[in-house]
Amino acid sequence: MNLTNFRFETDADGVALATWDMPGRSMNVITPEVMDDLNRIIDAVVADSAIKGCVITSGKDTFSGGADLTMLQGLGAEYARLSRERGEEEAMTFFFEESRRLTLLYRKLETCGKPFAAAVHGTCLGGAFELALACHHRVVSDDDKTRVGLPEIKVGLFPGAGGTQRVARLMQTGDALQMLFKGEQIRPLMARNMGLVHAVAPRGEIVQKAKEWLKAGGSAVAPWDQPKFKAPSGKVYSPAGMMTWPPANAIYRRETHDNYPAAKAILQAVYEGLQLPMDLALKVESRYFAKILRSPEAAAMIRTLFLSMGELNKGARRPKDVGAVPLKKVGVVGAGFMGAGIAYVSANAGLEVVLVDQSTEAAEKGKAYAHKLVSDQIMKGRAKTADRDALLSRIAASADYADLAACDLVIEAVFEDPKVKAEVIAKVEAVIGPDAVFASNTSTLPISGLAKASGRPEQFIGIHFFSPVEKMMLVEIIRGKATGERALAAALDYVRAIKKTPIVVNDARGFFANRCVGAYILEGHLMLAEGVPAAMIENAGRQAGMPVGPLSLNDEVGVDLALKIVKATKAQAGENAVNPTQERLLTALVEGEGRLGRKNRKGFYDYPEQGQKKLWPGLRDLQETRLDPDAVDFQELKQRLLVTQALEAARTFGEGVVTDPREADVGSILGFGFAPFTGGALSYIDFMGAARFVELCRTLEARHGARFSPPATLVAMAEKGGTFYGEAARQAA
Ligand code: NAD
């Protein structure tokens, strides 16, 4: 048999083994060629009467991450071309047939008459797990690295190769929907408990166990193809079904606010599919899949959350001509809230860490945070005591700057005070080697200003983490005026080592993320001052796709911090740089009412010891005017909250703070949760079209003021019919 991506052999007992091992790739992915090979394998197994059945496994370190998303993107482009050249109907026929090729192939495997078993070690996700689901038996390794799941929803898609139908026939409907909505990666034992796999075995035994199942006469008929099959939750139209579906709809609305067409399609495909026999059910799933694959949300999310994020993680912005920068030992100065987190993520990545604070006790307190974080992991069964011992042994807590001598990189996270920082810079530079890089985690102080205290500004850079450090995946790397290429490479290598996603920005007040976040919070404040009920503002934020409303977000950050930033901005940049209405509101809250945010349980919300937070009723008294809620245009509130952030992102782009649209998009989603279905703050503009966006800004400007005035660069782009990505591609060419 002529195969490129699989090895195929048959043992003395007539059991075939197909080992998926794509040449020249570190990981298996589903491509058209892989589909062709699988098709040949099925035909060969069926045709040879000496073959009893077949085990599919991987020859790589891990099973497979699923379909090649660039292939799916290519399908979209082909559809667009055909639709232009030959009309919508022909394009759609092509698209539907192509997008269901994998479904038909897997169904062929499932109904070919010979039993197939999957032996899975490592990651087995998306289309690859759908292959395993189409096999009649699934054995997974008990290894720490093994994960199965259907994460398609995370890039705006859904499992369109039978996943929705098979999962819904393996478990209770509510559980199936939850699994499909969350898209989580599932550990082996959990997968077995959920009924997703049949057996868990040591890595070295999975193939043998799968073969044993075949030799013991494993059935070649899937449960749902058995004549008396009943779905675990029974029929859709039944008392049990009525207990499931109305709440499922409500949960869908609550979780997505109808912003994610893929989530709705999951609900529809499962609801309709469960009322049909498998082949028709798969056709229904395919119809929805073809529709979702053409949706702007899927295009935007695949581009930002898969392609761009992957490129940034692999060092798209790393200076090409700088060789590997040695990075074994990292110094962290300031063992407070941020420093402790930075020390933890560094040690967790296997780096040696020297954690320095003003006293040994303070440094030890920072180290204790790492102890707490790993202990939490141990409690959840995700780490072992030995992991904790090893990690803690890599953190040396100290009050002596001399201990930083051998560090390749030192990150300071001391108080946000230029004088304190300048002292620290001098003390650190006095002990570190000539090649070591110094980074500041400042959130507001320009890097070029801080670098004035450095004797080697070309080795001085900003590495800006978000809190909590161990959870937030974004890191902003800030280039000062004098920052050199080697320091940039070192910072990027470091962020890669700790497995976070970097964006590189040029020095400016607020850098990138905090400027956009600031605009979101400001809009919430101004709505409140206008007289919009606080609950409506918060709901508008969430329904627009943000993880939390602007008032809630301000409580998390600190209402006092917001006021401090307003005052500092006014002192440095003048009266006109701040909004007087916002200043009045914040002053009344902080200085008048002592409401600092979640930290003192009093902010825009009250935070009782027991129970949920509630909006503070006194907010009404702070409103200078009050609007009739029925007269408020709710859609406009949602628009304002997204437009103001996108506009700020466009400004940072126009000013050259961000230089690559991928970074603005990835940064906006990972850094502050900008409505992910849009693909990020600049994709939001690109998909709407710059001209329409500018028009929207002008309407909002007329109604709400100059903060909605679009920058000249954006107006010029709109006039040319350009896009951020189009311009970036042209510049790169
Ligand atoms: P923090 O007050 O919790 O910690 C600061 C630590 O620095 C304290 O432990 C203090 O003892 C120590 N320190 C002060 N002077 C020192 C010196 N001379 N030598 C050694 N240690 C010294 O503050 P934080 O919230 O961790 O913030 C630290 C930095 O990180 C600030 O620049 C802040 O702007 C920035 N940052 C904070 C956040 C956030 O959400 N808190 C986010 C991003 C960046």
Side-chain angles (χ1 to χ4, degrees), residues 332-340 342 356-359 362-363 365-366 398-399 401 412-417 419-421 423-424 427 440-445 450 463-469 514 556-557 561:
V332 180
V333 184
F337 180 56
M338 296 301 284
I342 299 169
V356 172
D357 206 298
Q358 286 160 312
S359 65
K365 198 172 154 220
S398 165
Y401 278 72
E412 72 76 17
V414 299
F415 301 137
E416 188 76 339
D417 176 337
K419 271 202 219 106
V420 178
K421 300 228 190 247
E423 270 169 36
V424 168
K427 278 175 154 173
S440 171
N441 177 48
T442 176
S443 37
T444 55
L445 304 167
L450 289 177
I463 300 186
H464 180 216
F465 285 86
F466 294 81
S467 82
V469 176
N514 284 349
E556 296 300 325
V557 180
L561 184 66

Short mmCIF file of all heavy atoms in Angstrom, two decimals, residues 332-340 342 356-359 362-363 365-366 398-399 401 412-417 419-421 423-424 427 440-445 450 463-469 514 556-557 561, ligand 1:
data_model
loop_
_atom_site.label_atom_id
_atom_site.label_comp_id
_atom_site.label_asym_id
_atom_site.label_seq_id
_atom_site.Cartn_x
_atom_site.Cartn_y
_atom_site.Cartn_z
N VAL A 332 14.90 38.55 40.41
CA VAL A 332 13.66 39.32 40.54
C VAL A 332 13.84 40.21 41.77
O VAL A 332 14.11 39.72 42.87
CB VAL A 332 12.43 38.41 40.73
CG1 VAL A 332 11.15 39.24 40.87
CG2 VAL A 332 12.29 37.42 39.57
N VAL A 333 13.75 41.53 41.57
CA VAL A 333 13.92 42.44 42.70
C VAL A 333 12.56 43.03 43.06
O VAL A 333 11.88 43.58 42.20
CB VAL A 333 14.92 43.57 42.37
CG1 VAL A 333 15.16 44.44 43.60
CG2 VAL A 333 16.22 42.99 41.88
N GLY A 334 12.18 42.87 44.31
CA GLY A 334 10.84 43.26 44.75
C GLY A 334 10.02 41.97 44.82
O GLY A 334 9.67 41.41 43.78
N ALA A 335 9.79 41.50 46.04
CA ALA A 335 9.09 40.21 46.19
C ALA A 335 7.65 40.43 46.63
O ALA A 335 7.09 39.64 47.37
CB ALA A 335 9.83 39.33 47.20
N GLY A 336 7.06 41.54 46.15
CA GLY A 336 5.67 41.84 46.50
C GLY A 336 4.71 41.04 45.63
O GLY A 336 5.02 39.95 45.15
N PHE A 337 3.54 41.63 45.40
CA PHE A 337 2.48 40.98 44.66
C PHE A 337 2.97 40.48 43.30
O PHE A 337 2.82 39.30 42.95
CB PHE A 337 1.35 42.01 44.52
CG PHE A 337 0.16 41.52 43.79
CD1 PHE A 337 -0.51 40.39 44.22
CD2 PHE A 337 -0.32 42.22 42.67
CE1 PHE A 337 -1.64 39.94 43.54
CE2 PHE A 337 -1.44 41.78 42.00
CZ PHE A 337 -2.10 40.64 42.43
N MET A 338 3.59 41.36 42.52
CA MET A 338 4.02 40.98 41.16
C MET A 338 5.30 40.16 41.19
O MET A 338 5.41 39.14 40.50
CB MET A 338 4.23 42.23 40.29
CG MET A 338 2.98 43.04 40.04
SD MET A 338 1.67 42.11 39.23
CE MET A 338 2.26 42.03 37.55
N GLY A 339 6.29 40.62 41.96
CA GLY A 339 7.59 39.93 42.00
C GLY A 339 7.44 38.47 42.40
O GLY A 339 8.09 37.59 41.82
N ALA A 340 6.57 38.21 43.38
CA ALA A 340 6.38 36.83 43.83
C ALA A 340 5.84 35.97 42.69
O ALA A 340 6.28 34.84 42.48
CB ALA A 340 5.42 36.80 45.01
N ILE A 342 6.21 36.58 39.45
CA ILE A 342 7.24 36.46 38.41
C ILE A 342 8.26 35.38 38.82
O ILE A 342 8.69 34.57 38.00
CB ILE A 342 7.92 37.82 38.16
CG1 ILE A 342 6.89 38.85 37.67
CG2 ILE A 342 9.06 37.69 37.15
CD1 ILE A 342 7.38 40.29 37.64
N VAL A 356 14.99 38.99 45.40
CA VAL A 356 15.57 39.94 46.35
C VAL A 356 14.52 40.95 46.82
O VAL A 356 13.74 41.46 46.01
CB VAL A 356 16.75 40.70 45.68
CG1 VAL A 356 17.25 41.83 46.57
CG2 VAL A 356 17.87 39.73 45.36
N ASP A 357 14.50 41.22 48.12
CA ASP A 357 13.66 42.31 48.63
C ASP A 357 14.47 43.05 49.70
O ASP A 357 15.65 42.73 49.93
CB ASP A 357 12.32 41.78 49.18
CG ASP A 357 11.23 42.85 49.12
OD1 ASP A 357 11.39 43.90 49.77
OD2 ASP A 357 10.23 42.64 48.41
N GLN A 358 13.83 44.02 50.35
CA GLN A 358 14.58 44.84 51.31
C GLN A 358 15.04 44.03 52.52
O GLN A 358 16.03 44.37 53.14
CB GLN A 358 13.71 46.01 51.77
CG GLN A 358 13.58 47.06 50.69
CD GLN A 358 12.38 47.95 50.91
OE1 GLN A 358 11.27 47.48 51.17
NE2 GLN A 358 12.58 49.25 50.83
N SER A 359 14.31 43.01 52.88
CA SER A 359 14.72 42.16 54.00
C SER A 359 14.56 40.71 53.58
O SER A 359 13.79 40.41 52.65
CB SER A 359 13.85 42.43 55.22
OG SER A 359 12.52 42.02 54.92
N ALA A 362 10.97 39.65 53.85
CA ALA A 362 10.10 40.06 52.72
C ALA A 362 10.34 39.15 51.52
O ALA A 362 9.41 38.74 50.83
CB ALA A 362 10.36 41.51 52.36
N ALA A 363 11.61 38.80 51.28
CA ALA A 363 11.93 37.93 50.14
C ALA A 363 11.34 36.53 50.37
O ALA A 363 10.77 35.92 49.46
CB ALA A 363 13.44 37.85 49.96
N LYS A 365 8.77 35.86 52.12
CA LYS A 365 7.31 35.94 52.00
C LYS A 365 6.91 35.78 50.52
O LYS A 365 5.93 35.12 50.18
CB LYS A 365 6.85 37.30 52.53
CG LYS A 365 5.39 37.33 52.85
CD LYS A 365 4.99 38.61 53.57
CE LYS A 365 3.53 38.89 53.32
NZ LYS A 365 3.20 40.28 53.09
N GLY A 366 7.72 36.40 49.65
CA GLY A 366 7.46 36.25 48.21
C GLY A 366 7.63 34.80 47.77
O GLY A 366 6.84 34.29 46.98
N SER A 398 16.58 36.36 49.12
CA SER A 398 17.75 37.06 49.68
C SER A 398 17.49 38.55 49.85
O SER A 398 16.60 39.12 49.21
CB SER A 398 18.93 36.84 48.71
OG SER A 398 19.96 37.74 48.99
N ALA A 399 18.30 39.18 50.72
CA ALA A 399 18.23 40.64 50.84
C ALA A 399 19.53 41.25 50.32
O ALA A 399 19.76 42.45 50.45
CB ALA A 399 17.99 41.02 52.29
N TYR A 401 21.96 42.15 47.30
CA TYR A 401 22.04 42.35 45.85
C TYR A 401 23.19 41.57 45.22
O TYR A 401 23.14 41.22 44.04
CB TYR A 401 22.19 43.84 45.54
CG TYR A 401 20.88 44.58 45.54
CD1 TYR A 401 20.22 44.85 46.73
CD2 TYR A 401 20.31 45.01 44.36
CE1 TYR A 401 19.01 45.51 46.74
CE2 TYR A 401 19.10 45.69 44.35
CZ TYR A 401 18.44 45.94 45.55
OH TYR A 401 17.25 46.60 45.56
N GLU A 412 12.93 43.99 37.67
CA GLU A 412 12.56 44.67 38.93
C GLU A 412 11.05 44.85 39.00
O GLU A 412 10.40 45.15 37.99
CB GLU A 412 13.30 46.00 39.08
CG GLU A 412 12.86 47.15 38.18
CD GLU A 412 11.57 47.82 38.58
OE1 GLU A 412 11.14 47.64 39.73
OE2 GLU A 412 10.97 48.53 37.74
N ALA A 413 10.51 44.60 40.20
CA ALA A 413 9.08 44.82 40.44
C ALA A 413 8.94 45.49 41.81
O ALA A 413 8.22 45.03 42.68
CB ALA A 413 8.32 43.51 40.39
N VAL A 414 9.71 46.57 42.00
CA VAL A 414 9.65 47.30 43.27
C VAL A 414 8.57 48.38 43.17
O VAL A 414 7.87 48.46 42.15
CB VAL A 414 11.03 47.92 43.65
CG1 VAL A 414 12.07 46.82 43.83
CG2 VAL A 414 11.50 48.93 42.62
N PHE A 415 8.43 49.21 44.20
CA PHE A 415 7.36 50.21 44.20
C PHE A 415 7.40 51.06 42.92
O PHE A 415 8.46 51.33 42.36
CB PHE A 415 7.50 51.16 45.41
CG PHE A 415 7.44 50.45 46.73
CD1 PHE A 415 8.34 50.78 47.75
CD2 PHE A 415 6.52 49.45 46.97
CE1 PHE A 415 8.29 50.14 48.98
CE2 PHE A 415 6.45 48.80 48.20
CZ PHE A 415 7.35 49.14 49.20
N GLU A 416 6.20 51.52 42.52
CA GLU A 416 6.08 52.33 41.30
C GLU A 416 6.51 53.77 41.59
O GLU A 416 5.69 54.69 41.61
CB GLU A 416 4.62 52.25 40.80
CG GLU A 416 4.37 52.86 39.44
CD GLU A 416 4.85 52.02 38.28
OE1 GLU A 416 5.72 51.16 38.47
OE2 GLU A 416 4.38 52.26 37.17
N ASP A 417 7.80 53.94 41.85
CA ASP A 417 8.32 55.25 42.20
C ASP A 417 9.67 55.40 41.50
O ASP A 417 10.60 54.61 41.74
CB ASP A 417 8.48 55.29 43.74
CG ASP A 417 9.11 56.58 44.23
OD1 ASP A 417 9.80 57.26 43.43
OD2 ASP A 417 8.94 56.91 45.41
N LYS A 419 12.18 57.20 41.87
CA LYS A 419 13.38 57.32 42.72
C LYS A 419 13.80 55.95 43.23
O LYS A 419 14.97 55.58 43.19
CB LYS A 419 13.09 58.24 43.91
CG LYS A 419 13.38 59.67 43.61
CD LYS A 419 13.60 60.44 44.93
CE LYS A 419 12.97 61.80 44.81
NZ LYS A 419 11.72 61.99 45.55
N VAL A 420 12.81 55.18 43.72
CA VAL A 420 13.11 53.83 44.22
C VAL A 420 13.68 52.99 43.09
O VAL A 420 14.69 52.28 43.24
CB VAL A 420 11.84 53.16 44.81
CG1 VAL A 420 12.15 51.76 45.28
CG2 VAL A 420 11.27 54.00 45.93
N LYS A 421 13.06 53.10 41.92
CA LYS A 421 13.51 52.30 40.78
C LYS A 421 14.95 52.68 40.39
O LYS A 421 15.76 51.80 40.11
CB LYS A 421 12.56 52.47 39.58
CG LYS A 421 11.12 52.04 39.89
CD LYS A 421 10.55 51.14 38.82
CE LYS A 421 9.06 50.91 38.98
NZ LYS A 421 8.67 49.56 39.31
N GLU A 423 17.31 53.84 42.26
CA GLU A 423 18.25 53.26 43.24
C GLU A 423 18.49 51.79 42.95
O GLU A 423 19.62 51.30 42.99
CB GLU A 423 17.65 53.36 44.64
CG GLU A 423 17.99 54.62 45.39
CD GLU A 423 17.13 54.74 46.65
OE1 GLU A 423 16.83 53.71 47.28
OE2 GLU A 423 16.73 55.88 46.95
N VAL A 424 17.39 51.09 42.68
CA VAL A 424 17.49 49.65 42.42
C VAL A 424 18.32 49.38 41.16
O VAL A 424 19.18 48.50 41.13
CB VAL A 424 16.07 49.02 42.31
CG1 VAL A 424 16.13 47.61 41.75
CG2 VAL A 424 15.39 49.04 43.67
N LYS A 427 21.97 49.76 41.98
CA LYS A 427 22.48 48.66 42.82
C LYS A 427 22.63 47.37 42.03
O LYS A 427 23.60 46.63 42.21
CB LYS A 427 21.52 48.41 43.99
CG LYS A 427 21.70 49.37 45.16
CD LYS A 427 20.60 49.04 46.12
CE LYS A 427 20.79 49.34 47.54
NZ LYS A 427 19.56 49.10 48.30
N SER A 440 12.34 46.24 33.55
CA SER A 440 11.44 46.81 34.55
C SER A 440 10.01 46.34 34.27
O SER A 440 9.59 46.27 33.12
CB SER A 440 11.48 48.34 34.48
OG SER A 440 10.46 48.86 35.32
N ASN A 441 9.30 46.03 35.35
CA ASN A 441 7.90 45.61 35.24
C ASN A 441 6.97 46.79 35.50
O ASN A 441 5.80 46.60 35.83
CB ASN A 441 7.64 44.46 36.23
CG ASN A 441 6.19 44.00 36.23
OD1 ASN A 441 5.61 43.77 35.17
ND2 ASN A 441 5.59 43.88 37.40
N THR A 442 7.46 48.00 35.32
CA THR A 442 6.62 49.16 35.58
C THR A 442 5.34 49.12 34.76
O THR A 442 5.34 48.65 33.62
CB THR A 442 7.37 50.47 35.25
OG1 THR A 442 6.46 51.55 35.44
CG2 THR A 442 7.86 50.51 33.81
N SER A 443 4.24 49.63 35.34
CA SER A 443 3.01 49.64 34.53
C SER A 443 2.72 51.02 33.97
O SER A 443 1.93 51.15 33.05
CB SER A 443 1.82 49.12 35.32
OG SER A 443 1.87 49.52 36.65
N THR A 444 3.35 52.06 34.52
CA THR A 444 3.02 53.40 34.04
C THR A 444 4.22 54.27 33.66
O THR A 444 4.07 55.25 32.93
CB THR A 444 2.22 54.18 35.12
OG1 THR A 444 2.97 54.17 36.32
CG2 THR A 444 0.86 53.58 35.36
N LEU A 445 5.40 53.94 34.17
CA LEU A 445 6.54 54.84 33.94
C LEU A 445 7.23 54.53 32.60
O LEU A 445 7.57 53.38 32.35
CB LEU A 445 7.56 54.69 35.08
CG LEU A 445 6.98 54.93 36.48
CD1 LEU A 445 7.95 54.46 37.56
CD2 LEU A 445 6.65 56.40 36.66
N LEU A 450 13.09 55.75 32.71
CA LEU A 450 13.76 54.91 33.73
C LEU A 450 15.19 54.58 33.29
O LEU A 450 16.10 54.51 34.11
CB LEU A 450 12.98 53.61 33.94
CG LEU A 450 11.64 53.70 34.67
CD1 LEU A 450 10.98 52.32 34.72
CD2 LEU A 450 11.82 54.24 36.08
N ILE A 463 9.52 44.65 30.73
CA ILE A 463 8.79 43.38 30.61
C ILE A 463 7.58 43.54 31.53
O ILE A 463 7.70 43.46 32.75
CB ILE A 463 9.65 42.15 31.03
CG1 ILE A 463 10.89 42.03 30.16
CG2 ILE A 463 8.82 40.87 30.95
CD1 ILE A 463 11.73 40.76 30.40
N HIS A 464 6.45 43.84 30.92
CA HIS A 464 5.26 44.21 31.69
C HIS A 464 4.30 43.03 31.80
O HIS A 464 3.69 42.60 30.83
CB HIS A 464 4.58 45.40 30.98
CG HIS A 464 3.35 45.87 31.67
ND1 HIS A 464 2.24 46.34 31.02
CD2 HIS A 464 3.04 45.96 32.99
CE1 HIS A 464 1.31 46.69 31.89
NE2 HIS A 464 1.77 46.46 33.09
N PHE A 465 4.19 42.51 33.03
CA PHE A 465 3.29 41.39 33.30
C PHE A 465 1.91 41.94 33.69
O PHE A 465 1.78 43.09 34.09
CB PHE A 465 3.82 40.58 34.50
CG PHE A 465 4.99 39.71 34.17
CD1 PHE A 465 6.28 40.22 34.22
CD2 PHE A 465 4.81 38.38 33.81
CE1 PHE A 465 7.37 39.41 33.92
CE2 PHE A 465 5.89 37.57 33.52
CZ PHE A 465 7.17 38.08 33.58
N PHE A 466 0.92 41.07 33.59
CA PHE A 466 -0.43 41.43 34.05
C PHE A 466 -0.75 40.59 35.27
O PHE A 466 -0.19 39.50 35.44
CB PHE A 466 -1.44 41.19 32.93
CG PHE A 466 -1.21 42.12 31.77
CD1 PHE A 466 -0.23 41.84 30.83
CD2 PHE A 466 -1.93 43.29 31.66
CE1 PHE A 466 0.04 42.72 29.79
CE2 PHE A 466 -1.68 44.17 30.62
CZ PHE A 466 -0.69 43.89 29.69
N SER A 467 -1.63 41.09 36.11
CA SER A 467 -1.90 40.35 37.34
C SER A 467 -3.21 39.57 37.24
O SER A 467 -4.14 40.06 36.58
CB SER A 467 -1.92 41.30 38.53
OG SER A 467 -3.19 41.92 38.62
N PRO A 468 -3.35 38.40 37.84
CA PRO A 468 -2.27 37.67 38.52
C PRO A 468 -1.33 37.01 37.52
O PRO A 468 -1.76 36.41 36.55
CB PRO A 468 -3.04 36.61 39.33
CG PRO A 468 -4.36 36.45 38.65
CD PRO A 468 -4.65 37.71 37.91
N VAL A 469 -0.02 37.16 37.81
CA VAL A 469 1.02 36.75 36.86
C VAL A 469 0.87 35.29 36.44
O VAL A 469 1.03 34.95 35.27
CB VAL A 469 2.42 36.97 37.49
CG1 VAL A 469 3.51 36.46 36.57
CG2 VAL A 469 2.63 38.44 37.80
N ASN A 514 -3.01 48.89 28.78
CA ASN A 514 -3.63 49.75 29.79
C ASN A 514 -4.32 50.97 29.20
O ASN A 514 -5.26 51.50 29.79
CB ASN A 514 -2.59 50.17 30.84
CG ASN A 514 -2.30 49.01 31.79
OD1 ASN A 514 -3.01 48.01 31.79
ND2 ASN A 514 -1.25 49.15 32.59
N GLU A 556 -11.76 45.80 40.57
CA GLU A 556 -10.66 44.83 40.66
C GLU A 556 -9.32 45.55 40.63
O GLU A 556 -8.40 45.23 41.38
CB GLU A 556 -10.71 43.83 39.48
CG GLU A 556 -11.93 42.95 39.44
CD GLU A 556 -12.09 42.06 40.67
OE1 GLU A 556 -11.07 41.62 41.22
OE2 GLU A 556 -13.25 41.83 41.09
N VAL A 557 -9.19 46.52 39.73
CA VAL A 557 -7.92 47.25 39.57
C VAL A 557 -7.69 48.16 40.77
O VAL A 557 -6.56 48.42 41.18
CB VAL A 557 -7.96 48.08 38.27
CG1 VAL A 557 -6.68 48.85 38.08
CG2 VAL A 557 -8.23 47.21 37.07
N LEU A 561 -6.57 53.52 42.59
CA LEU A 561 -5.50 53.53 41.58
C LEU A 561 -5.95 54.36 40.37
O LEU A 561 -5.16 55.13 39.81
CB LEU A 561 -5.15 52.10 41.17
CG LEU A 561 -3.98 51.99 40.20
CD1 LEU A 561 -2.68 52.45 40.85
CD2 LEU A 561 -3.81 50.56 39.69
P1 NAD B 1 4.08 45.61 45.89
O1 NAD B 1 4.00 46.79 46.76
O2 NAD B 1 3.20 44.44 46.17
O3 NAD B 1 5.57 45.05 45.89
C1 NAD B 1 6.69 45.87 45.81
C2 NAD B 1 7.82 45.14 46.55
O4 NAD B 1 9.05 45.80 46.27
C3 NAD B 1 7.67 45.11 48.06
O5 NAD B 1 7.79 43.78 48.51
C4 NAD B 1 8.81 45.97 48.55
O6 NAD B 1 9.32 45.57 49.82
C5 NAD B 1 9.83 45.79 47.47
N1 NAD B 1 10.82 46.85 47.39
C6 NAD B 1 10.62 48.17 47.47
N2 NAD B 1 11.81 48.82 47.37
C7 NAD B 1 12.76 47.88 47.23
C8 NAD B 1 14.17 47.92 47.10
N3 NAD B 1 14.82 49.06 47.09
N4 NAD B 1 14.82 46.74 46.97
C9 NAD B 1 14.16 45.58 46.99
N5 NAD B 1 12.84 45.50 47.12
C10 NAD B 1 12.14 46.62 47.25
O7 NAD B 1 3.86 46.14 44.40
P2 NAD B 1 3.39 45.35 43.11
O8 NAD B 1 1.93 45.48 42.94
O9 NAD B 1 4.02 44.01 43.10
O10 NAD B 1 4.03 46.23 41.94
C11 NAD B 1 5.40 46.19 41.66
C12 NAD B 1 5.66 46.80 40.29
O11 NAD B 1 4.91 46.10 39.31
C13 NAD B 1 5.26 48.25 40.15
O12 NAD B 1 6.19 48.89 39.32
C14 NAD B 1 3.91 48.17 39.48
O13 NAD B 1 3.59 49.31 38.76
C15 NAD B 1 4.12 47.00 38.57
N6 NAD B 1 2.90 46.33 38.13
C16 NAD B 1 1.89 46.09 39.01
C17 NAD B 1 0.75 45.43 38.57
C18 NAD B 1 -0.36 45.14 39.53
O14 NAD B 1 -1.44 44.73 39.09
N7 NAD B 1 -0.16 45.25 40.83
C19 NAD B 1 0.65 45.02 37.24
C20 NAD B 1 1.72 45.25 36.36
C21 NAD B 1 2.83 45.90 36.83
#
